[in-house]
Amino acid sequence: MQTSLSVQEIYSIVYQEHRDPFQILGPHIVESNGKKTVVIRCYLPTAQEAYIVALDNQREYKMELLHVHGFYEVVCPEREEVFPYLIKVLRKDGTETSFHDSYSFMPGLTNFDIYLIQQGCHYRTFEKLGAHIAEMDGVRGVYFAVWAPNAKSVSVIGSFNSWDRRFHAMRTLGTSGVWEIFIPGIGSGEAYKYKITTHDNFSFDKTDPHGFYCEISPNTASIVYDLNQYEWHDKEWLEKRIDRQKKSAPVSIYELHIGSWVRDPKNPKRMLSYGEVAHRLVNYVKEMGYTHVELLPIMEHPFYGSWGYQCLGLYAPTSRYGTPDEFRYLVDLLHQNDIGVILDWVPAHFPTDAHGLAYFDATYLYEHADPRKREHKDWNTYIYNYGRYEVKNFLISNALFWLEKYHLDGLRVDAVASMLYLDYSKRPGEWTPNRFGGRENLEAVSFLQECNDLVQKFYPGVLMIAEESTSWPKVSGPTYLGGLGFTNKWNMGWMNDILRYMSTDPIYRKYQHNVLAFSIWYAFSENFVLPLSHDEVVHGKASLIGKMPGDVWQRFANLRILFGYMFAHPGKKMLFMGNDFGQWNEWAHESSLDWHLLEDEPHKKLHRFVKDLNFFYREHPAFYENDCSSEGFEWCDYNDADHSVIAFWRKAEKEKLLFVFNFTPIPWNNYQLGVETKGVYREIFNTDSELYWGSNFGNMGRVEAWESSWYGKPYTLSLQLPPLGMIVLKVEEVVPEKNADEEKVDTEKKQREEQPIEKDKPKEIKTTVEVKQAEAKVISEMPPKEAKIELKTSEEKKKE
């Protein structure tokens, strides 16, 4: 039978110009003279001969070569229905192979999938696009799908077809721009890319935007990976996660970069794998009392020096540290030990590497065409086009992907400010206003609101934390009230102010005293996280302890009071790795932390201080129960700038704690502080304890408030305030106030008791008030105690 194909149709296959090669290749039923016949066509560039082997009766049909480059066809005259078959090829090199025909399978995406993708509301594209191990018509293989609407043709290339684009040309599904193909006989571990050909016949290779695993950089191929094999053991954690992460729960986050947290001691250049890090990290975080870890981005990124913030493989944990299942093991182990996992997520921009998203199908697909909207000049990256449905869908699906497939407990969204403002870091003329003439990026706002709503809909209780440094209102407010819908926002204002204050020589701190009170004015306008993050210990900014003024002892004391102030201040807590033991050097991503410093007493004791502070924080609801409400905070005194002293209450339903801070290196003896409650105040925490390399200056465990008005408060405490120290007091025994009738009864009783007995000389009895006044006079006339502290260097201490 003569072929029914035209020369142009054959050429469109041979030269990869057909947008739907399935219309020509594979099995087809043709009708001739009223009779139906099955015709099978194949493009086999390396074949010397080709046969179709029917699987139902093992009959072989020899194929006819229609084009010298390898276009074959066979007519099966006695067949009226399509039948299962194999292609048997005798290659030009003499080898023989048999395989299923990729062009004999139906599409893997439904029309409804396509509709949802086009509308930007297919929130599980990670189950449809990318590379998926699948079974179709009883045949195992890998299903590939990619969005490239403006390409002339797209092929899957890989180790399984010698990276030759001629073997597996994909088809496009209608006008969706989605290309797909099922390749039987391959499986997990296969490296692949997409070969994209433009309408100008220019071809280039791209990494799969939905790829689950990638080659180790600098190689750029995606790798087929089955995400359905891992068996989780964290059900108990997931069931209680909502309670562990609610606003009234304690949250203390340990931020770390996996590649430089710890390295192989025998080979410091070798980064440890997810599995090697897992047990070390769990043991450390549990010992230190943190509730969560926050990982700098682990999505695949070509440039290691970007710390993960310039990521291209948004769906792939970086292979630098191991496989996706090894990363799952790390998360699983943390969960089994009641430790939450937060991941930095970067939907704000992406790098311009040729193998990535930039100019993906030879058009500006994921980015804006207008350079005024496209370019982020600070980082030499491109900004996502949030107004395009498919791009928005790509990003929202990615957020849900990490929560679904990796059981993450939160996402910290990077660079939100750069998303919200069209003129972010741009000069006049370098940006274009929105449709209302404003500077707000309305499409980005819509994207963030929709993403946050969907996260809470599908995964209630998950944290969505915004790194947002401007005064944009209601970042952590609900979307139905016009907010962005985040659960929390980084308090960048607090961070900048307190680091500037702490870097100031204490002698000048009284001139910046307002900084300590200012943050409370807006502390409850958002649900804040207080971040002392990686950004503050790089690029010449110095480590945290390096920022502190004074000699060695004072630097450590300053760092202790800084951490104490952070934990006492309303808001969730976050501390970057290395800061909890006072690393002197700035963070360097190419090497491990300076763990050897823990052999030195000052660092070892600071380390213990942070540990005790974490557990102390978690044990006392006053720290966190009303974190996001002004009901949980009350000033005691914020006016004493001359002494650089502040005091405030943190309150919970069943607990009330008094925090007093002395931001000078001078110990204040008999420092008087007015309080509302009479009773015994127990000192339950002191940053100046000798356990923490302090001077052990304090209140001997307790102090009593006596009846004496002080700055409008009816009772007064006389405190010993340690240098550069914080003390925490708790009312242990409240002396009840008596009403007038009770006072009258007591007076009559005393009068009866004071009657002289026979010949005894009447005793001089003082009233309770007189006794208290006498005690107060004695206390006020006592010489001040000497501060038991010597400012010594670590070298002098070692000699002792």
Side-chain angles (χ1 to χ4, degrees):
M1 181 184 290
Q2 187 177 1
T3 182
S4 60
L5 295 178
S6 67
V7 174
Q8 288 77 12
E9 288 176 312
I10 295 175
Y11 279 10
S12 70
I13 297 298
V14 172
Y15 296 108
Q16 290 83 50
E17 294 180 348
H18 205 296
R19 290 179 62 83
D20 187 2
F22 284 73
Q23 292 182 4
I24 297 174
L25 299 177
H28 297 269
I29 298 176
V30 298
E31 191 170 339
S32 177
N33 299 323
K35 182 180 179 182
K36 292 182 179 180
T37 306
V38 174
V39 176
I40 300 174
R41 306 184 188 102
C42 302
Y43 181 47
L44 307 167
T46 61
Q48 183 73 35
E49 295 181 10
Y51 300 84
I52 296 297
V53 181
L55 292 178
D56 54 0
N57 59 14
Q58 299 302 310
R59 179 175 175 180
E60 290 190 2
Y61 301 88
K62 185 174 183 180
M63 305 191 77
E64 180 183 358
L65 181 64
L66 299 184
H67 191 282
V68 68
H69 285 172
F71 190 96
Y72 287 84
E73 182 184 78
V74 65
V75 178
C76 307
E78 77 283 7
R79 297 279 190 167
E80 294 184 358
E81 298 293 336
V82 174
F83 56 93
Y85 62 90
L86 291 176
I87 301 173
K88 185 172 77 171
V89 172
L90 299 178
R91 295 195 183 100
K92 296 175 182 179
D93 61 5
T95 59
E96 178 182 317
T97 185
S98 296
F99 51 87
H100 289 276
D101 186 2
S102 291
Y103 299 95
S104 66
F105 297 93
M106 296 297 289
L109 270 68
T110 66
N111 289 335
F112 189 54
D113 288 324
I114 296 300
Y115 171 77
L116 293 178
I117 290 173
Q118 289 181 304
Q119 295 301 310
C121 53
H122 196 308
Y123 303 123
R124 303 180 73 83
T125 57
F126 53 85
E127 293 181 346
K128 302 298 181 178
L129 303 182
H132 299 270
I133 296 175
E135 184 175 308
M136 300 184 75
D137 298 337
V139 179
R140 295 278 294 176
V142 178
Y143 176 78
F144 296 89
V146 64
W147 180 58
N150 302 302
K152 183 178 181 180
S153 68
V154 181
S155 297
V156 180
I157 59 174
S159 52
F160 45 85
N161 62 16
S162 302
W163 303 94
D164 192 330
R165 67 172 180 157
R166 298 174 296 174
F167 287 98
H168 295 109
M170 307 173 81
R171 67 173 154 202
T172 183
L173 299 176
T175 60
S176 66
V178 175
W179 300 75
E180 61 103 57
I181 193 172
F182 176 70
I183 302 180
I186 65 173
S188 186
E190 297 281 4
Y192 71 97
K193 291 184 180 181
Y194 295 116
K195 174 74 76 172
I196 295 178
T197 302
T198 72
H199 289 279
D200 296 327
N201 292 321
F202 177 70
S203 296
F204 47 84
D205 300 344
K206 288 288 186 178
T207 301
D208 189 351
H210 281 83
F212 298 146
Y213 190 35
C214 294
E215 291 182 311
I216 297 176
S217 183
N219 297 324
T220 59
S222 299
I223 297 175
V224 176
Y225 199 91
D226 188 356
L227 290 180
N228 300 314
Q229 299 299 310
Y230 186 82
E231 183 178 346
W232 289 91
H233 301 89
D234 61 350
K235 181 180 179 181
E236 183 179 345
W237 164 264
L238 295 178
E239 289 175 347
K240 61 188 177 184
R241 178 169 66 185
I242 292 180
D243 290 334
R244 290 295 185 91
Q245 299 190 160
K246 59 187 179 182
K247 292 180 183 179
S248 58
V251 174
S252 177
I253 304 168
Y254 183 65
E255 186 190 30
L256 73 145
H257 176 254
I258 289 181
S260 57
W261 182 65
V262 64
R263 292 199 171 187
D264 186 348
K266 297 180 180 178
N267 181 10
K269 292 184 178 181
R270 187 180 78 84
M271 295 177 286
L272 301 186
S273 69
Y274 298 117
E276 290 174 309
V277 166
H279 289 275
R280 291 177 172 88
L281 183 60
V282 165
N283 292 338
Y284 183 81
V285 173
K286 282 190 70 174
E287 177 191 353
M288 292 300 292
Y290 295 104
T291 64
H292 291 70
V293 297
E294 180 177 320
L295 306 176
L296 271 62
I298 53 88
M299 298 81 169
E300 194 59 74
H301 47 285
F303 177 44
Y304 180 65
S306 73
W307 314 329
Y309 290 100
Q310 293 191 14
C311 47
L312 282 180
L314 259 68
Y315 287 81
T318 178
S319 54
R320 289 178 176 88
Y321 313 132
T323 67
D325 279 354
E326 285 183 295
F327 178 61
R328 283 169 154 177
Y329 176 75
L330 169 61
V331 175
D332 199 0
L333 193 63
L334 287 162
H335 283 173
Q336 291 173 48
N337 287 273
D338 290 335
I339 301 166
V341 184
I342 302 167
L343 179 63
D344 280 12
W345 184 51
V346 191
H349 59 109
F350 61 91
T352 59
D353 298 66
H355 66 278
L357 300 178
Y359 214 59
F360 189 77
D361 61 359
T363 66
Y364 296 111
L365 192 62
Y366 288 88
E367 66 273 38
H368 291 274
D370 187 340
R372 294 173 297 176
K373 294 182 178 181
R374 180 176 69 240
E375 298 174 359
H376 200 307
K377 295 187 176 180
D378 283 356
W379 301 314
N380 192 30
T381 55
Y382 284 166
I383 299 169
Y384 287 102
N385 183 354
Y386 307 107
R388 188 160 192 168
Y389 289 159
E390 296 91 344
V391 175
K392 182 176 69 171
N393 205 155
F394 171 75
L395 293 171
I396 292 177
S397 292
N398 185 243
L400 300 178
F401 167 80
W402 288 103
L403 304 176
E404 169 75 20
K405 296 297 185 180
Y406 290 92
H407 290 200
L408 297 180
D409 307 298
L411 298 174
R412 176 266 193 185
V413 185
D414 183 64
V416 172
S418 73
M419 300 170 67
L420 295 175
Y421 297 98
L422 294 167
D423 63 344
Y424 183 87
S425 195
K426 293 181 179 179
R427 296 189 294 262
E430 294 181 344
W431 63 282
T432 181
N434 62 37
R435 62 181 181 271
F436 301 114
R439 56 197 284 256
E440 298 82 9
N441 190 334
L442 303 179
E443 291 81 8
V445 171
S446 176
F447 156 69
L448 290 171
Q449 290 175 324
E450 184 176 353
C451 183
N452 285 324
D453 278 347
L454 288 168
V455 165
Q456 295 306 319
K457 175 183 178 180
F458 294 121
Y459 308 99
V462 161
L463 299 175
M464 292 294 287
I465 305 170
E467 186 215 9
E468 206 285 315
S469 55
T470 73
S471 57
W472 187 284
K474 299 181 181 178
V475 172
S476 57
T479 58
Y480 60 81
L481 294 178
L484 294 182
F486 287 95
T487 60
N488 300 87
K489 171 185 173 177
W490 271 21
N491 195 335
M492 308 289 280
W494 172 88
M495 178 271 297
N496 284 310
D497 287 346
I498 192 60
L499 289 182
R500 185 175 66 253
Y501 177 85
M502 293 302 302
S503 300
T504 303
D505 191 301
I507 198 172
Y508 300 114
R509 284 178 180 168
K510 63 182 179 181
Y511 303 112
Q512 298 183 24
H513 193 70
N514 63 309
V515 167
L516 300 174
F518 177 67
S519 60
I520 299 300
W521 286 100
Y522 62 87
F524 310 107
S525 62
E526 301 276 6
N527 303 326
F528 282 119
V529 173
L530 308 179
L532 293 176
S533 73
H534 65 279
D535 280 328
E536 312 317 315
V537 293
V538 291
H539 302 321
K541 297 179 185 177
S543 63
L544 282 191
I545 197 165
K547 298 178 194 290
M548 301 296 106
D551 59 22
V552 172
W553 188 93
Q554 290 188 35
R555 285 175 182 263
F556 278 88
N558 271 303
L559 198 54
R560 290 194 302 271
I561 194 174
L562 168 61
F563 292 160
Y565 177 70
M566 176 179 74
F567 274 77
H569 193 285
K572 307 309 179 187
K573 325 302 175 188
M574 195 191 79
L575 197 59
F576 184 58
M577 63 182 195
N579 290 330
D580 54 5
F581 61 81
Q583 176 164 302
W584 290 105
N585 293 322
E586 286 188 352
W587 169 51
H589 63 271
E590 293 287 4
S591 60
S592 172
L593 294 179
D594 296 333
W595 293 104
H596 62 276
L597 292 176
L598 287 173
E599 298 174 5
D600 296 336
E601 183 184 16
H603 298 277
K604 184 177 181 179
K605 289 190 171 182
L606 175 64
H607 197 239
R608 175 174 178 175
F609 166 75
V610 175
K611 171 184 174 180
D612 289 354
L613 186 61
N614 264 322
F615 283 105
F616 182 67
Y617 163 74
R618 295 171 63 173
E619 291 166 2
H620 292 276
F623 276 99
Y624 53 80
E625 193 172 283
N626 291 311
D627 241 347
C628 303
S629 169
S630 58
E631 295 179 0
F633 181 91
E634 180 185 341
W635 278 113
C636 183
D637 187 0
Y638 61 86
N639 287 314
D640 193 357
D642 288 338
H643 293 87
S644 294
V645 171
I646 62 169
F648 54 74
W649 295 91
R650 292 300 310 278
K651 298 180 290 183
E653 182 180 356
K654 298 181 179 179
E655 186 181 51
K656 187 175 180 181
L657 300 180
L658 177 60
F659 295 82
V660 189
F661 300 83
N662 173 16
F663 287 95
T664 73
I666 302 171
W668 300 121
N669 294 280
N670 303 319
Y671 185 90
Q672 295 192 1
L673 190 67
V675 292
E676 296 282 357
T677 306
K678 184 179 182 181
V680 175
Y681 286 66
R682 184 163 57 94
E683 184 180 277
I684 57 176
F685 198 88
N686 188 333
T687 65
D688 194 48
S689 167
E690 64 179 355
L691 296 174
Y692 312 136
W693 211 53
S695 62
N696 225 30
F697 190 86
N699 295 275
M700 303 298 290
R702 53 181 283 162
V703 62
E704 185 173 351
W706 77 86
E707 191 173 351
S708 177
S709 177
W710 187 264
Y711 282 92
K713 304 293 176 63
Y715 305 100
T716 301
L717 290 171
S718 182
L719 302 172
Q720 305 299 108
L721 297 187
L724 296 171
M726 172 192 80
I727 61 172
V728 184
L729 303 170
K730 184 176 183 178
V731 183
E732 189 176 58
E733 178 185 344
V734 178
V735 180
E737 299 292 332
K738 296 180 180 180
N739 57 37
D741 292 338
E742 291 173 330
E743 289 283 359
K744 183 178 179 181
V745 171
D746 286 349
T747 301
E748 292 174 352
K749 181 179 180 182
K750 287 181 180 180
Q751 288 175 350
R752 289 193 300 270
E753 293 173 349
E754 291 170 0
Q755 296 296 325
I757 300 175
E758 295 185 358
K759 297 181 181 180
D760 289 349
K761 182 179 180 180
K763 297 180 180 180
E764 183 180 349
I765 305 296
K766 294 184 178 180
T767 66
T768 303
V769 173
E770 290 173 329
V771 171
K772 290 295 182 184
Q773 289 176 342
E775 290 176 354
K777 183 177 181 183
V778 171
I779 292 173
S780 64
E781 292 175 353
M782 289 174 63
K785 296 179 181 179
E786 295 183 2
K788 299 179 180 180
I789 174 174
E790 295 181 51
L791 304 184
K792 298 181 180 181
T793 65
S794 57
E795 297 297 329
E796 293 171 330
K797 284 182 170 287
K798 285 181 179 179
K799 292 178 180 179
E800 292 180 356

